[in-house]
């Protein structure tokens, strides 16, 4: 009790309360200022750590200040300068009350005021539109600005006039790795040819100065007879790597060639005949030759593979099958991918990438309704956590956890932590950027969401999921005409994309185009989505009896 009275007499409690209130105010102001000034996202975390680190020093200072009170009082009477530093209990009370009033005001404003400023949301597009010009090239009929937009939406969030999109300059140190052709006699090595291309992407992505287009976009041209120049223009790259794989027995022949797209010059080409168990070395050789041909200096030394890999050839082949299988996103393809990855893990229990990929497959099964949410997402979480136990520096595994926190937990703080961890490991991971954009969109942080999704689309221009989420961002921000344009582009990219027609119909309805919205909703390929949306659009079109029947 005497210690408690001494703490009270020395104003330790008052100083602590004042410091905590001040620290909270500083963090709230920082969170508000950083996005407005486009400062680095790491600043709020740094401020929080500074507040925490300084706390014990403030408490210690409060204690030491009155260590010899009588002596201080006598000295204060003589030394006027010292008396200025003497803070009375009453003055501390006033300071604490004032800070608490400010803190409560900020808290109330944060809860009651709408998130995001319309002018900031609309202004960001002008600054960042050039980043994905080739992705979002809009024909006039796709970018129609409807002057009859809903008056309520216009008054709250005025539509932006869409300006011509400038073409972004091509980075000379950029490359797209196309899927290698399967030249085997039985045409049964597609998974291997795709896997070799993907492994080359992963190796090249470790080069700091090289922009490597992600798998989703590079593989969009698989099986299509598209000229290299057109591919380069669509993906906005200066170089393309293509090749072929022929497997015979335990021997594999890999041919690769690097093409400069500006003039179709072959900068380098090579053919490798190797035993199958030497395939990792061949991939390393090809990646090293490409870096040398592009004259990129490796400041960090030799090229290194992503952590979490394997040296078990059979496990690696099963992993490649597990990557190829889920691209169709059907129950059969996801079940096949799960089986391949589980076999790979049995062969190499320390294969972190296989655990991480299995986490993604299980999450997709839960997303599509093939697994119950609790069963699917909890298992996805466990798999990702195990991948990180094996390979703590696996950015993709942090991204998997981020997605579970968003889709299942609704734990935004935990998702943000995983976002920071993933992007700290690999700031160019398109998947991590995309899920980070989804988190910002979920929270209504439209500026951050657009910035992150556009960054993902620079690396993966044809990623339908990222395009879809960007449309959701535009719709959420009240930019309905832009959302309409994005969804139309999405349907050109992937005509069967689930939810795209329903979202397009919503964007049309928000612009008072009820008849057109109804026509689009009736075309929805997903029965569940169509049944859900039809009552809404029938009622909006004034067909109330039909709307009731549809409901």
């Amino acid at each position: 009790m005497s210690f408690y009275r001494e703490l009270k007499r020395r104003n330790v409690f008052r100083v602590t309360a004042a410091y905590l209130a001040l620290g909270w105010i500083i963090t709230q102001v920082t969170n508000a200022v950083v996005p407005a000034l486009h400062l680095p996202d790491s600043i709020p975390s740094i401020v929080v750590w500074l507040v925490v680190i300084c706390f014990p020093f403030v408490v210690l200072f409060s204690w030491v200040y009155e260590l010899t009170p009588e002596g201080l009082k006598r000295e204060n009477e003589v030394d006027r300068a010292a008396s200025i530093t003497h803070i009375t209990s009453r003055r501390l009370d006033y300071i604490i009350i004032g800070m608490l009033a400010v803190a409560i005001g900020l808290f109330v404003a944060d809860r009651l005021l709408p998130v995001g400023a319309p002018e900031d949301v609309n202004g960001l597009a002008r600054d960042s539109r050039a980043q994905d010009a080739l992705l979002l090239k809009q024909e006039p009929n796709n970018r129609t600005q409807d002057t009859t937009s809903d008056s309520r939406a216009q008054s709250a969030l005025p539509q932006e006039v869409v300006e011509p999109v400038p073409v972004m300059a091509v980075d000379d140190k950029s490359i797209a790795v196309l899927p290698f052709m399967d030249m085997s006699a039985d045409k049964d090595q597609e998974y291997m040819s795709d896997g070799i291309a993907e492994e080359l992407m992963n190796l090249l992505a470790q080069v700091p100065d090289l922009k490597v287009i992600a798998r989703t976009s590079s593989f969009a041209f698989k099986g299509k007879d598209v000229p290299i120049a057109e591919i380069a223009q669509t993906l906005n790259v200066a170089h393309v790597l293509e090749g072929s794989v022929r497997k015979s027995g335990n021997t594999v022949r890999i041919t690769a060639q690097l093409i400069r797209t500006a003039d179709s010059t072959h900068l380098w080409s090579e053919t490798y005949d190797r035993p199958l168990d030497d395939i990792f070395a061949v991939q390393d050789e090809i990646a090293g030759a490409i870096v040398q041909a592009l004259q990129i200096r490796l400041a960090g030394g030799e090229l290194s593979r992503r952590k979490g890999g394997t040296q078990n050839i059979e496990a690696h082949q099963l992993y490649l099958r597990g990557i190829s299988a889920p691209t169709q996103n059907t129950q059969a393809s996801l079940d096949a991918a799960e089986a391949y990855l589980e076999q790979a893990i049995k062969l190499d229990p320390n294969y972190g990438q296989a655990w991480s990929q299995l986490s993604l497959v299980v999450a997709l099964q839960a997303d599509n309704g093939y697994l119950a949410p609790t069963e699917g997402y909890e298992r996805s979480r466990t798999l990702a956590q195990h991948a990180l136990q094996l390979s703590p520096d696996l950015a993709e595994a942090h991204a998997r956890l981020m997605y579970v926190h968003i889709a299942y937990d609704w734990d935004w703080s935990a998702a943000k932590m995983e976002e920071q961890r993933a992007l700290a490991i690999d700031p160019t991971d398109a998947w991590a950027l995309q899920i980070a954009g989804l988190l910002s969109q979920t929270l209504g942080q439209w500026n951050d969401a657009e910035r992150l999704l556009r960054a993902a689309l620079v690396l993966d221009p044809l990623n339908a999921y990222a395009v879809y989420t960007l449309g959701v961002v535009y719709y959420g921000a009240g930019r309905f005409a832009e959302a309409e344009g994005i969804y139309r582009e999405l349907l050109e990219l992937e005509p069967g994309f689930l939810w795209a027609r329903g979202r397009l119909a919503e964007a049309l309805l928000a612009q008072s185009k009820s008849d057109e919205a109804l026509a689009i909703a009736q075309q929805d390929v997903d029965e569940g989505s169509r049944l859900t949306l039809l009552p809404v659009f029938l009622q909006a079109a004034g067909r109330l009896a039909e709307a009731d029947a549809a409901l």
Side-chain angles (χ1 to χ4, degrees):
M1 290 301 296
S2 61
F3 178 66
Y4 171 81
R5 288 193 295 271
E6 188 67 11
L7 288 172
K8 187 175 180 181
R9 186 181 69 81
R10 293 170 183 266
N11 293 321
V12 172
F13 296 125
R14 288 187 173 91
V15 170
T16 299
Y19 181 80
L20 292 176
L22 177 62
W24 192 87
I25 292 170
I26 290 173
T27 56
Q28 294 304 303
V29 171
T30 302
N31 288 333
V33 168
V34 166
L37 298 181
H38 303 290
L39 299 175
D41 292 340
S42 60
I43 288 181
S45 299
I46 294 173
V47 169
V48 171
W49 276 112
L50 287 175
V51 170
V52 172
I53 291 170
C54 292
F55 175 72
F57 295 100
V58 171
V59 175
L60 181 62
F61 173 80
S62 174
W63 171 271
V64 173
Y65 187 80
E66 294 259 353
L67 187 60
T68 55
E70 296 304 322
L72 281 175
K73 287 179 181 178
R74 289 194 298 270
E75 185 177 339
N76 289 343
E77 294 171 358
V78 178
D79 189 353
R80 180 171 298 179
S83 69
I84 296 174
T85 65
H86 180 68
I87 302 175
T88 64
S89 298
R90 184 181 298 275
R91 187 174 299 173
L92 270 175
D93 289 340
Y94 291 151
I95 292 173
I96 293 171
I97 292 171
M99 288 183 177
L100 288 175
V102 173
I104 292 171
L106 288 172
F107 178 81
V108 171
D110 181 59
R111 289 295 182 270
L112 297 183
L113 294 180
V115 179
E119 58 271 20
D120 290 340
V121 172
N122 290 328
L124 182 64
R126 287 188 289 270
D127 298 333
S128 59
R129 188 179 292 116
Q131 287 188 340
D132 61 346
L134 295 172
L135 169 71
L136 303 178
K137 47 185 180 180
Q138 302 290 342
E139 298 299 332
N141 62 330
N142 287 345
R143 281 286 191 168
T144 303
Q145 292 292 322
D146 186 4
T147 57
T148 63
S149 297
D150 183 87
S151 58
R152 180 179 56 190
Q154 284 184 337
S155 61
L157 288 166
Q159 294 290 316
E160 174 187 26
V161 176
V162 179
E163 304 163 354
V165 179
V167 177
M168 188 174 69
V170 178
D171 187 349
D172 190 52
K173 293 181 179 179
S174 58
I175 187 171
V177 182
L178 302 183
F180 281 32
M181 294 180 61
D182 176 16
M183 303 294 290
S184 302
D186 296 331
K187 300 294 183 183
D188 60 347
Q189 298 300 312
E190 181 179 4
Y191 74 93
M192 179 180 288
S193 56
D194 288 355
I196 288 174
E198 176 149 354
E199 287 298 308
L200 286 169
M201 288 180 207
N202 294 330
L203 275 169
L204 294 170
Q206 310 305 312
V207 182
D209 293 334
L210 185 60
K211 185 183 88 172
V212 182
I213 298 299
R215 181 187 198 273
T216 311
S217 294
S218 292
F219 279 41
F221 301 96
K222 182 177 177 179
K224 300 177 182 178
D225 187 16
V226 182
I228 292 293
E230 185 177 336
I231 294 174
Q233 183 182 16
T234 303
L235 300 181
N236 202 35
V237 291
H239 303 91
V240 167
L241 178 71
E242 61 177 3
S244 63
V245 175
R246 184 190 301 273
K247 180 175 176 287
S248 178
N250 194 46
T251 302
V252 62
R253 168 173 287 186
I254 301 175
T255 300
Q257 53 186 358
L258 179 66
I259 301 169
R260 184 168 57 205
T261 58
D263 53 9
S264 298
T265 302
H266 284 64
L267 298 181
W268 166 87
S269 63
E270 189 64 75
T271 298
Y272 302 85
D273 290 317
R274 300 289 177 80
L276 185 60
D277 56 10
D278 203 24
I279 193 169
F280 295 126
V282 176
Q283 292 169 353
D284 294 345
E285 285 185 49
I286 295 174
I290 291 168
V291 171
Q292 186 175 2
L294 295 179
Q295 298 180 342
I296 297 176
R297 179 176 175 270
L298 295 177
E302 295 296 322
L303 279 171
S304 59
R305 291 183 167 275
R306 283 190 307 165
K307 296 182 179 179
T310 184
Q311 293 300 314
N312 186 311
I313 292 296
E314 189 176 352
H316 180 65
Q317 288 182 292
L318 288 164
Y319 169 73
L320 295 180
R321 289 182 182 271
I323 290 177
S324 292
T327 54
Q328 299 151 9
N329 201 23
T330 64
Q331 185 166 7
S333 67
L334 291 173
D335 288 347
E338 180 181 16
Y340 290 135
L341 292 166
E342 287 179 341
Q343 291 177 55
I345 289 168
K346 285 182 180 178
L347 291 172
D348 184 354
N350 297 320
Y351 198 168
Q353 291 175 15
W355 286 96
S356 176
Q357 181 67 15
L358 184 56
S359 171
L360 171 62
V361 169
V362 172
L364 290 173
Q365 290 174 326
D367 278 347
N368 295 347
Y370 307 144
L371 290 176
T374 299
E375 176 189 358
Y377 291 119
E378 288 293 357
R379 186 180 175 215
S380 178
R381 185 206 315 277
T382 301
L383 292 165
Q385 288 172 338
H386 189 70
L388 288 171
Q389 289 176 356
L390 297 170
S391 309
D393 293 333
L394 207 53
E396 63 191 52
H398 285 292
R400 313 286 191 239
L401 281 179
M402 178 174 28
Y403 184 70
V404 172
H405 289 316
I406 296 169
Y408 179 64
D409 298 335
W410 291 14
D411 189 339
W412 321 129
S413 298
K416 189 66 178 178
M417 289 182 65
E418 294 301 336
E419 172 194 328
Q420 292 170 347
R421 290 166 179 162
L423 295 179
I425 295 169
D426 186 1
T428 63
D429 188 297
W431 172 265
L433 288 166
Q434 177 189 333
I435 303 304
L438 175 63
L439 174 60
S440 293
Q441 173 257 310
T442 304
L443 298 176
Q445 298 169 352
W446 313 120
N447 287 18
D448 282 341
E450 183 177 14
R451 174 180 58 82
L452 289 161
L453 288 166
R454 288 182 181 277
L457 286 168
V458 167
L459 297 164
D460 201 356
L462 303 182
N463 187 324
Y465 285 95
V467 177
Y468 168 80
T469 308
L470 184 60
V472 176
V473 169
Y474 285 155
Y475 181 88
R479 296 158 65 176
F480 303 125
E482 290 178 85
E484 176 191 345
I486 290 292
Y487 292 132
R488 292 192 186 279
E489 286 291 327
L490 175 58
L491 286 170
E492 289 182 14
L493 180 64
E494 291 289 346
F497 192 88
L498 197 64
W499 318 304
R501 284 178 176 80
R503 287 291 191 172
L504 173 57
E506 288 177 350
L508 290 167
L509 184 59
Q511 300 174 80
S512 301
K513 302 177 182 179
S514 54
D515 291 336
E516 191 176 352
L518 175 58
I520 292 293
Q522 289 171 329
Q523 299 170 16
D524 200 315
V525 295
D526 179 65
E527 184 182 16
S529 177
R530 186 172 63 255
L531 289 172
T532 304
L533 294 172
L534 275 179
V536 178
F537 298 114
L538 284 166
Q539 180 166 332
R543 296 158 63 173
L544 303 185
E546 293 177 74
D548 289 342
L551 183 58

